Amino acid sequence: GIQVEQSPPDLILQEGANSTLRCNFSDSVNNLQWFHQNPWGQLINLFYIPSGTKQNGRLSATTVATERYSLLYISSSQTTDSGVYFCAVSDKIIFGKGTRLHILP
Amino acid sequence: EPEVTQTPSHQVTQMGQEVILHCVPISNHLYFYWYRQILGQKVEFLVSFYNNEISEKSEIFDDQFSVERPDGSNFTLKIRSTKLEDSAMYFCASSGGGLVKYASYNEQFFGPGTRLTVL
């Protein structure tokens, strides 16, 4: 089956810093989503981005489908950005292990 | 904004008991899913459901699990005889059409989850 690798596994940043989270996948996919799991465990949709680039406020994402990776950019981090960020691909959604982000005040 | 809802938010049960987890997908969505997340681990696919039947299931989804869409709005996951290792957060999701603005047809929307604890 498709393998999804996310990096880095953990990231600690000072408030205001920028970050880039990466997702590599082992085969071509029709679907790719980025989620934020907040401290209460809820999975919040960030982007549906099987290809191309999208932006939403301080967040943006780029997927290069031909090279099988996606990047999530977070600019001017805030403490509320803390949590786990998951990349998920394919129809039955295969999740990566996530990147745990800690934003320090 | 339409959303997926799940009840209960927490469920505590004794080993061997049956549990039913409830989900109300986004109205007019056509595809429904259950996922689980054991504490500290990644989210795992259990089953997908379309046109009143299971379209795909994982190896986790054994004979102890079943799904049902008893009416036009609810989607349930039943675990017949719970085991300790069934303790996890269970997420319902839906996709395919519906009333969410700007959403892609294939984009899945997740409910808030039911935390199941088996004692």
Side-chain angles (χ1 to χ4, degrees), chain B residues 3-21:
Chain B
E3 58 183 17
V4 178
T5 59
Q6 291 186 242
T7 54
S9 56
H10 294 90
Q11 174 89 48
V12 180
T13 189
Q14 295 288 326
M15 191 169 56
Q17 295 297 303
E18 174 184 285
V19 294
I20 299 176
L21 309 182

Side-chain angles (χ1 to χ4, degrees), chain A residues 6-11 21-22 83-86 97-101:
Chain A
Q6 289 188 245
S7 59
D10 291 279
L11 189 57
L21 282 57
R22 187 177 179 101
V84 183
Y85 289 81
F86 288 105
K97 292 184 179 179
T99 292
R100 186 172 297 277
L101 179 64

Side-chain angles (χ1 to χ4, degrees), chain A residues 31 33 35 37 41-43 45 48 86 91-93 95-96, chain B residues 33 35 37 42-43 45 56 91 104 106-110 112:
Chain A
N31 305 314
Q33 292 185 236
F35 296 90
Q37 187 165 41
Q42 295 175 318
L43 286 167
N45 286 44
Y48 174 80
F86 288 105
D91 298 326
K92 62 181 182 185
I93 286 205
F95 280 73
Chain B
Y33 312 84
Y35 295 82
Q37 184 182 32
K42 65 179 182 180
V43 180
F45 169 79
E56 194 166 2
F91 292 101
S104 166
N106 295 323
E107 185 173 359
Q108 294 190 22
F109 290 84
F110 282 68

